[in-house]
Amino acid sequence: MNNRILLIETATDVCSVAVSEGNEILSSGHITEARSQASQLAPLIQDTVSRAGMRIQDLAAVAVSSGPGSYTGLRVGVSTAKGICFGAGIPLIGIETLTAIAYGAIRTGAVQEDPEGTVIIPMIDARRMEVYTALYDSSAQRISDTEAVVLAPDTFSGTLAEYRRAVFTGDGAAKYESMIPEQYRDRCIFLPSRPEAEDMAAAAFRALQEKRFEDTAYFEPFYLKEFIAADPSRKIEAVLHPERRL
C-alpha cells in the first residue's frame, strides 16, 4: 500500500511542509519569513518532495491543516493542496490545526499515556487575550469542541480541577501561564510551540488507512471566526510540473 503523504501546515504566519510514509518523516522544510506563504509555498513543496526522492504523482494523498488559524494562511494552504490533488488525481485529507499541536506535545515526551489523568490544551494565538483552543486526551484525541476563548484566570479552572495534569501548548500558551491560579500551577506544564507539518503525520496516516477523505471541490478551512480577505494567488503548476517553470 502506498502510504506516502504530502503534509502542508499554513495555519500561522510561518508554515511548514513534510513528506511522510506511514508515521515516518522522509523530508521536511519550513518558511520562517512571516506572510510569505503565497510566494514560497509551491517551491518549498517541490523541494521537499524532491528531497524525499519522489514526484508529486508518487504520493497517495495530500494532508493540509484545516484550521482554525490565520485566514490568509489557511486559504493559501488549502488552495495549494486542492490544486495538487486535482492535478495528480489523489485524495485530500484535512487535519485540524489543534490536533497537530497536540501531537507535537506528545512528540516532545512531556505527555505520558494517562487516559484518566492528563489533558492536553493546545492554543492558537488569536490576538489580544483570545485563543483558539480545545481539550485533548493523552493520545491526542479531541474531547471537546473547538472554540475561541478570551483568557481569564478562571478560564480552565473546571478542567484543572478534574485532571491531575494539564499540558498547555501552542503559540497562545504563554498568555495563560502568567495568570494561572496558584493552586493549579504545580500540575501544569507549558510548552510554547507552533503547528508543524511533521506533527500531522500520525493523524493523516490514520485518515488514509480509514479512507477519510475530504470532498476536494467543496472543502473549505474551518476559520472559526469570520474574516474578510482576498483569495491568495495560486501557484500549482510549478509544483506539478517543475520542468515548465521559466
Side-chain angles (χ1 to χ4, degrees):
M1 177 181 177
N2 181 1
N3 295 324
R4 297 169 178 173
I5 306 174
L6 172 63
L7 311 169
I8 303 173
E9 209 310 299
T10 60
T12 61
D13 285 344
V14 296
C15 69
S16 56
V17 171
V19 174
S20 62
E21 184 167 16
N23 291 318
E24 179 185 357
I25 300 299
L26 302 181
S27 64
S28 63
H30 296 78
I31 297 173
T32 57
E33 183 181 349
R35 294 175 293 279
S36 61
Q37 294 101 322
S39 62
Q40 297 187 32
L41 182 58
L44 177 64
I45 290 172
Q46 185 57 52
D47 177 68
T48 304
V49 172
S50 295
R51 284 189 288 105
M54 64 184 71
R55 306 166 303 159
I56 290 291
Q57 290 80 359
D58 297 326
L59 297 166
V62 177
V64 65
S65 52
S66 61
S70 159
Y71 180 95
T72 301
L74 291 171
R75 292 294 289 180
V76 169
V78 170
S79 296
T80 301
K82 283 184 173 185
I84 294 172
C85 290
F86 277 127
I90 54 179
L92 176 67
I93 297 170
I95 302 296
E96 294 182 40
T97 310
L98 292 169
T99 298
I101 297 173
Y103 271 108
I106 292 174
R107 183 164 59 91
T108 67
V111 179
Q112 305 299 319
E113 187 70 24
D114 183 11
E116 302 299 325
T118 297
V119 62
I120 305 173
I121 308 177
M123 297 177 171
I124 298 172
D125 188 352
R127 305 294 183 260
R128 298 185 178 87
M129 293 310 296
E130 191 172 29
V131 297
Y132 303 136
T133 189
L135 304 182
Y136 285 75
D137 67 17
S138 60
S139 62
Q141 301 304 301
R142 184 162 58 80
I143 54 176
S144 77
D145 292 336
T146 300
E147 58 185 339
V149 172
V150 177
L151 294 175
D154 63 349
T155 299
F156 297 100
S157 291
T159 300
L160 295 175
E162 180 180 354
Y163 289 89
R164 291 191 297 269
R165 194 180 193 203
V167 179
F168 292 91
T169 187
D171 64 2
K175 290 182 174 182
Y176 192 59
E177 186 171 9
S178 62
M179 65 174 68
I180 188 171
E182 189 62 36
Q183 68 264 37
Y184 300 124
R185 190 170 297 276
D186 62 350
R187 67 177 71 176
C188 296
I189 296 174
F190 287 85
L191 298 172
S193 66
R194 65 185 184 191
E196 295 280 355
E198 296 181 27
D199 295 325
M200 298 166 60
F205 181 39
R206 183 178 300 110
L208 178 66
Q209 290 179 308
E210 297 173 359
K211 293 181 168 50
R212 287 188 284 108
F213 304 131
E214 306 293 344
D215 185 322
T216 304
Y218 295 102
F219 177 70
E220 291 292 335
F222 173 46
Y223 298 117
L224 191 57
K225 294 169 65 177
E226 292 297 326
F227 292 88
I228 299 175
D231 286 349
S233 60
R234 301 178 182 183
K235 300 191 176 184
I236 308 305
E237 190 70 12
V239 176
L240 293 174
H241 302 288
E243 72 280 1
R244 297 180 187 176
R245 285 191 290 177
L246 298 178

